[in-house]
Amino acid sequence: MCDYDVIITTYKKRWKVEVFYKSLKSNAGMAKSANADFENPKQLGLHGIYAVFKLECLSFKSKINPFALRFKLLMNATRSAFDQLQKFQAAA
């Protein structure tokens, strides 16, 4: 039988894994896949796993939630693309 501290410590470790899987599903587009299968990494794609890993590392360093960080990255990319489009339209 485990004591209270062992149970809490184990659950905290387990919860970090759950949060990572949630990030993996959401940030790598696995939530959109009808047949999401984490047993087969080829299905997800190495690039997706790597991107989520980098996002998690950046999130850890910056102390920003990975979902908030993803939103910031998407907003910056959209803003940059819009600025580039404005330049193309001005040149035409």
Side-chain angles (χ1 to χ4, degrees), residues 10-23:
T10 303
Y11 185 79
K12 284 180 180 178
K13 288 178 184 177
R14 180 190 163 277
W15 188 249
K16 289 179 183 179
V17 172
E18 293 294 328
V19 170
F20 179 76
Y21 274 128
K22 179 182 177 189
S23 180

Side-chain angles (χ1 to χ4, degrees), residues 4 26 37 40 83:
Y4 177 79
S26 298
D37 181 9
N40 185 358
D83 290 345

Side-chain angles (χ1 to χ4, degrees), residues 85-92:
L85 180 62
Q86 295 291 73
K87 288 178 185 177
F88 287 147
Q89 287 178 341

Side-chain angles (χ1 to χ4, degrees), residues 46-74:
L46 186 58
H47 296 293
I49 293 171
Y50 183 70
V52 171
F53 176 75
K54 292 293 283 184
L55 182 67
E56 291 291 327
C57 289
L58 188 58
S59 172
F60 182 74
K61 286 181 184 179
S62 65
K63 296 182 178 18
I64 298 174
N65 177 308
F67 298 98
L69 185 58
R70 177 180 167 223
F71 180 76
K72 280 182 141 182
L73 290 170
L74 288 172

